[in-house]
Amino acid sequence: MPVSERALIARIRARARNGPALVAGIGDDCSVLRMPPGTEALVTTDFSLENVHFRRAWHPPEVVGHRCLARGLSDIAAMGGDPTAFFLSLALPARLPQTWVDRFLTGMLRLARQLRVPLAGGDTAQSPGGILADIVVVGSVPRGRAILRSGARPGDLLYVTGELGAGAAALDLLFRSHRKMSPASLRKLRADYPRHFQPIPRLAVGRFLRAHHLASAMIDLSDGLSTDLSHICQESRVGADVYAAALPRAKTAGRGARAQGTVVDLRFALHGGDDYELLFTAPPNKRIPSQIAGVRVTPIGQVTRRRTVTLITPDGTLSPLRPQGWEHFRNRSTQ
Amino acid sequence: MPVSERALIARIRARARNGPALVAGIGDDCSVLRMPPGTEALVTTDFSLENVHFRRAWHPPEVVGHRCLARGLSDIAAMGGDPTAFFLSLALPARLPQTWVDRFLTGMLRLARQLRVPLAGGDTAQSPGGILADIVVVGSVPRGRAILRSGARPGDLLYVTGELGAGAAALDLLFRSHRKMSPASLRKLRADYPRHFQPIPRLAVGRFLRAHHLASAMIDLSDGLSTDLSHICQESRVGADVYAAALPRAKTAGRGARAQGTVVDLRFALHGGDDYELLFTAPPNKRIPSQIAGVRVTPIGQVTRRRTVTLITPDGTLSPLRPQGWEHFRNRSTQ
């Protein structure tokens, strides 16, 4: 049965949970939030559009809901912030089955519960095209302590959390399947690349780096390392050297004869988007743990005064690392 | 020339202005806002979708931009709040001319400048369908002082600001034109119904009512009086009597032989959306000025214990006033 706009609001409202920060939630002109004293407010908005950021044939509704919220929470993590509440603007085509919406909300609200972020409001509409979601996350950070993109200084070291390239490797296989992936192949792909389907925003890592004054600049890897690093360099007016051999490339989940799993291509780790790991810089005198909140942290290069980004391969070859994440994957996914 | 996503961000960023509340704006993972001490945060999100909320043939780009922001600011007004900053998520079709976007931003940023609300961030994407905008407004209100929908009590009087029905009357003429309205007719329509094309959010009225503890409940008239009044009644668990003769019906701008203008149909004032006036309740012992911040304020009925909404005509006829705004206009505009 398709969803009416009014029924949709009722369903969302019935499944939303209150939190201590929520003075008034769904059901008024605005939501009213009590922000912790001594903090500044963080706000981020992220589209998740059908056939741009996801495809119904590739991404089950729970996955779309999960990724939609994870995108926003990852931005809060990248400031060293704490999420306060989130808002969902959702426009649905008239003929969309009710079960799709229910499963979408299930995936989204499961992640919200895990990370204790209440759904506090949003908007609904009938979509003239595909499924359109816009997620807004409001968070907080102690006054003056947000970790910006602009704080990197020459000499700082460059770090990433987790492993890179799984998102792009999974997307590459999906594209090569020409949209005709069988349910069994899709299941295998989900097992191989869980992080593409259910990325975990690195909130605890971001909070740790902020609380211990460790990071000078930070960004989340949503557009790919080469693109997101160029954002830090641009905002901080610096450059960077990146060591190709140092990059923590993602592996497929190992099983049977391939117990070790397969390491993804270097280009996926360099340019692939949707990893939702954190990229940060820290002064060389700060001791950065090799693991924070159970997540691996790897030094991958350093910040330079010279305002270009250079990739250094093990044989000593230097080549310019240009931002390619955006064009390569984004444009491809909008075809 | 069509707009690339990257060029779009650059254009928005170049035209955004900073405000004192903005610690960090466009160009980071999140925007960082300094909220006034002793306040709670207000958040509202509103879609403006092509062929749902506007049509390119009917609404010039400046009007779309203006209305898009006005929708969000009106929700802040309805809480008695002050806007702090706004965020624009904008997805554009690949072939949209650059001038459309520039004029859209002009209309939006002109209203933002008038009301001193900085554009603090957002998201951009290529749209798989038409133009998709989602506006987020963050505001503030002194702690515990937001005017909710749930505060109406039996015996309270019911008031509206300004005049009702112009939005619906204009939309009706647009629909009856079968999408073939000449530029001259469109110009006349804009002169007749300026409020449909450039609604002014009633921020000063909302702020006055809150500062003087006058209103017990408030909502903005976006879906139409019959629908929005039903929201107040539902949240407050009350009913209401509305006097048809008391409704301040909008007039077309008078000129020439029709210097008095023409009064809109009662059904437009009762069920028409997009007026963005305020509907509020106040205890009978509160003296409500007949004009606030230059805007007329009219008593139109009262709140009852009996949980139905009744329309009372001058001859004493009583009839149930059912929420019709939504179905009547919203569905029609989504065809």
Side-chain angles (χ1 to χ4, degrees):
Chain A
M1 227 181 65
V3 201
S4 88
E5 199 175 326
R6 201 186 298 207
L8 175 60
I9 295 174
R11 292 184 94 85
I12 292 177
R13 196 171 176 180
R15 297 184 61 176
R17 291 287 166 277
N18 276 347
L22 257 188
V23 182
I26 300 171
D28 224 301
D29 293 88
C30 294
S31 298
V32 186
L33 302 179
R34 192 172 293 133
M35 306 298 289
T39 62
E40 286 163 343
L42 303 174
V43 185
T44 173
T45 82
D46 286 282
F47 271 132
S48 291
L49 308 179
E50 185 173 357
N51 297 330
V52 178
H53 301 94
F54 67 91
R55 290 209 178 149
R56 260 188 267 177
W58 294 348
H59 299 103
E62 293 87 352
V63 163
V64 178
H66 177 111
R67 282 169 42 113
C68 182
L69 177 57
R71 276 166 71 79
L73 290 173
S74 181
D75 284 322
I76 300 286
M79 309 297 284
D82 294 296
T84 307
F86 77 101
F87 302 81
L88 170 66
S89 289
L90 188 61
L92 301 175
R95 262 178 286 271
L96 190 75
Q98 178 66 61
T99 51
W100 195 96
V101 187
D102 286 337
R103 293 176 56 192
F104 168 86
L105 289 174
T106 296
M108 175 171 278
L109 294 173
R110 195 190 290 143
L111 181 64
R113 223 168 18 246
Q114 264 174 33
L115 299 171
R116 296 162 189 271
V117 198
L119 171 58
D123 193 17
T124 58
Q126 201 173 89
S127 164
I131 298 162
L132 317 170
D134 191 30
I135 201 94
V136 180
V137 187
V138 174
S140 70
V141 68
R143 192 175 298 138
R145 297 291 306 285
I147 305 173
L148 305 180
R149 294 179 182 176
S150 53
R153 297 291 167 261
D156 283 359
L157 297 181
L158 204 58
Y159 298 85
V160 290
T161 62
E163 289 160 357
L164 307 185
L171 210 57
D172 186 65
L173 287 170
L174 285 167
F175 272 108
R176 282 202 259 156
S177 74
H178 297 291
R179 314 188 187 190
K180 283 174 298 198
M181 199 163 255
S182 68
S185 311
L186 258 180
R187 265 197 304 279
K188 181 174 173 304
L189 193 70
R190 282 187 69 174
D192 274 348
Y193 299 102
R195 203 162 157 78
H196 171 71
F197 293 93
Q198 296 196 302
I200 305 298
R202 299 305 192 192
L203 285 163
V205 179
R207 208 176 290 142
F208 181 95
L209 292 170
R210 184 255 299 156
H212 294 85
H213 297 66
L214 294 176
S216 50
M218 187 148 63
I219 191 171
D220 77 318
L221 292 174
S222 50
D223 290 328
L225 176 65
S226 61
T227 299
D228 291 318
L229 176 54
S230 80
H231 291 320
I232 282 199
C233 290
Q234 206 171 344
E235 298 297 328
S236 299
R237 299 161 184 260
V238 296
D241 290 338
V242 174
Y243 296 96
L247 292 178
R249 283 147 68 180
K251 270 189 251 184
T252 58
R255 62 175 168 270
R258 292 189 306 147
Q260 295 300 313
T262 315
V263 174
V264 302
D265 258 31
L266 178 63
R267 66 195 168 100
F268 294 142
L270 283 174
H271 308 298
D274 283 355
D275 279 325
Y276 301 109
E277 296 292 351
L278 296 175
L279 169 69
F280 65 94
T281 61
N285 63 340
K286 302 271 185 189
R287 238 195 101 239
I288 305 294
S290 61
Q291 196 163 329
I292 298 174
V295 180
R296 180 176 163 194
V297 177
T298 310
I300 62 162
Q302 68 248 337
V303 177
T304 61
R305 192 171 306 278
R306 181 178 26 79
R307 291 182 59 180
T308 52
V309 180
T310 306
L311 183 69
I312 305 176
T313 42
D315 62 3
T317 315
L318 308 182
S319 56
L321 181 62
R322 297 204 182 83
Q324 286 175 40
W326 198 305
E327 292 80 359
H328 194 67
F329 291 96
R330 197 68 72 97
N331 282 352
R332 195 166 156 186
S333 63
T334 57
Q335 280 160 3
Chain B
M1 227 180 68
V3 202
S4 86
E5 199 175 327
R6 202 187 295 209
L8 175 60
I9 295 174
R11 292 184 95 86
I12 293 177
R13 195 171 177 178
R15 297 184 62 178
R17 291 288 165 275
N18 275 347
L22 256 188
V23 182
I26 300 170
D28 224 300
D29 294 86
C30 294
S31 299
V32 185
L33 302 180
R34 192 173 292 133
M35 306 299 288
T39 62
E40 287 164 342
L42 303 173
V43 185
T44 173
T45 84
D46 286 284
F47 271 132
S48 290
L49 308 180
E50 185 172 358
N51 297 332
V52 177
H53 302 94
F54 67 90
R55 289 209 178 151
R56 259 189 267 179
W58 294 348
H59 300 104
E62 293 86 352
V63 164
V64 178
H66 177 110
R67 283 169 41 113
C68 182
L69 177 58
R71 275 166 71 80
L73 291 173
S74 182
D75 284 322
I76 299 287
M79 309 297 284
D82 294 296
T84 306
F86 76 100
F87 301 81
L88 171 65
S89 290
L90 189 60
L92 301 174
R95 262 179 287 272
L96 190 76
Q98 178 66 60
T99 51
W100 195 95
V101 187
D102 287 337
R103 292 176 57 193
F104 168 87
L105 290 174
T106 295
M108 174 171 279
L109 295 172
R110 194 191 290 143
L111 181 64
R113 222 169 19 245
Q114 265 174 33
L115 299 171
R116 297 163 188 272
V117 197
L119 170 58
D123 193 17
T124 58
Q126 202 174 87
S127 164
I131 298 162
L132 318 171
D134 190 30
I135 201 92
V136 181
V137 186
V138 174
S140 70
V141 69
R143 193 174 299 140
R145 298 291 306 284
I147 305 173
L148 305 180
R149 295 179 182 175
S150 53
R153 296 292 167 262
D156 284 0
L157 297 180
L158 205 58
Y159 297 85
V160 290
T161 62
E163 289 160 357
L164 307 184
L171 210 57
D172 186 65
L173 287 170
L174 286 167
F175 272 108
R176 282 202 259 156
S177 74
H178 297 289
R179 312 187 189 192
K180 283 174 299 201
M181 200 164 253
S182 69
S185 311
L186 258 180
R187 264 197 304 279
K188 181 175 171 303
L189 193 70
R190 282 188 69 174
D192 274 348
Y193 299 102
R195 201 159 160 80
H196 171 71
F197 293 93
Q198 296 195 302
I200 306 298
R202 300 305 193 192
L203 285 163
V205 180
R207 208 177 288 142
F208 181 94
L209 292 170
R210 184 254 299 157
H212 294 83
H213 297 64
L214 294 177
S216 49
M218 187 148 63
I219 191 170
D220 77 317
L221 292 174
S222 51
D223 290 328
L225 176 64
S226 60
T227 299
D228 291 317
L229 176 54
S230 79
H231 291 320
I232 282 199
C233 290
Q234 206 172 346
E235 298 296 328
S236 299
R237 299 159 185 258
V238 295
D241 290 337
V242 174
Y243 296 97
L247 291 178
R249 283 147 68 180
K251 270 188 251 185
T252 58
R255 60 176 171 272
R258 291 188 307 146
Q260 295 300 312
T262 315
V263 175
V264 302
D265 257 30
L266 177 63
R267 65 194 168 101
F268 293 142
L270 283 174
H271 308 297
D274 282 355
D275 278 326
Y276 301 109
E277 296 292 351
L278 297 175
L279 169 68
F280 65 93
T281 61
N285 63 340
K286 302 271 186 189
R287 239 195 101 240
I288 305 295
S290 61
Q291 195 163 331
I292 297 174
V295 179
R296 182 179 163 191
V297 177
T298 310
I300 62 161
Q302 67 249 336
V303 178
T304 62
R305 193 172 305 279
R306 181 180 24 81
R307 291 182 60 179
T308 52
V309 181
T310 306
L311 183 70
I312 305 176
T313 43
D315 62 4
T317 315
L318 310 181
S319 55
L321 181 61
R322 297 205 181 83
Q324 288 175 38
W326 197 307
E327 292 80 358
H328 193 69
F329 291 96
R330 196 70 70 95
N331 283 353
R332 196 166 157 186
S333 64
T334 56
Q335 282 160 1

